[in-house]
Amino acid sequence: MENLCRCCHSPYGLKSLGSFQAYEGVGETYSAILKDTFNIVIQPFVGASSAVSYSICDVCVAHLRDASTFKQQVVTCEQILSSYCDKQDLKGPASMGNVVKEEMTELVTGTNCIIFITFSVS
């Protein structure tokens, strides 16, 4: 389990999830982008099994950046629309209350490793 991407298990083009990286003049860590975009926290393993990789591959980095950019786009567009509607005194879905669907998925990735991921959709 050494030297593999924690997102897709590829052994190629690896970068540390926790290292500070500069991209287009902005500093970032891939673990922080995963957390901010998907609320996924990937922890490094400690102890005897510390040989397990804490890396992400170039392909997954590109997917992660695209997803992060898309999320920022959607949030910005919703803020602009909400501001417009407030100025026009329009009532929208917000007046009906927040409807949230939450699903929990259990993934088993090895003999002793269980990961729980919670997805929230509004």
Side-chain angles (χ1 to χ4, degrees):
M1 294 309 241
E2 291 182 47
N3 300 322
L4 59 81
C5 174
R6 292 285 293 271
C7 299
C8 73
H9 292 181
S10 170
Y12 306 107
L14 300 176
K15 295 177 172 61
S16 173
L17 279 163
S19 295
F20 182 81
Q21 308 284 333
Y23 178 72
E24 295 184 355
V26 177
E28 61 188 10
T29 63
Y30 302 122
S31 59
I33 298 170
L34 273 168
K35 171 93 169 76
D36 294 343
T37 305
F38 298 112
N39 201 27
I40 295 174
V41 177
I42 296 178
Q43 298 289 341
F45 287 92
V46 294
S49 63
S50 64
V52 174
S53 179
Y54 187 62
S55 302
I56 185 170
C57 72
D58 292 331
V59 172
C60 288
V61 166
H63 290 306
L64 183 59
R65 285 189 178 131
D66 287 345
S68 177
T69 300
F70 180 70
K71 178 182 177 181
Q72 291 169 1
Q73 171 190 312
V74 171
V75 169
T76 299
C77 287
E78 281 299 296
Q79 289 171 342
I80 291 168
L81 182 61
S82 178
S83 176
Y84 171 80
C85 289
D86 287 346
K87 289 177 185 173
Q88 301 299 318
D89 197 29
L90 300 173
K91 304 293 182 205
S95 65
M96 297 185 297
N98 291 333
V99 179
V100 175
K101 178 181 179 185
E102 186 168 308
E103 300 175 7
M104 182 173 273
T105 303
E106 180 180 317
L107 302 174
V108 178
T109 59
T111 56
N112 296 325
C113 182
I114 298 176
I115 301 169
F116 291 97
I117 301 173
T118 303
F119 298 95
S120 296
V121 181
S122 30

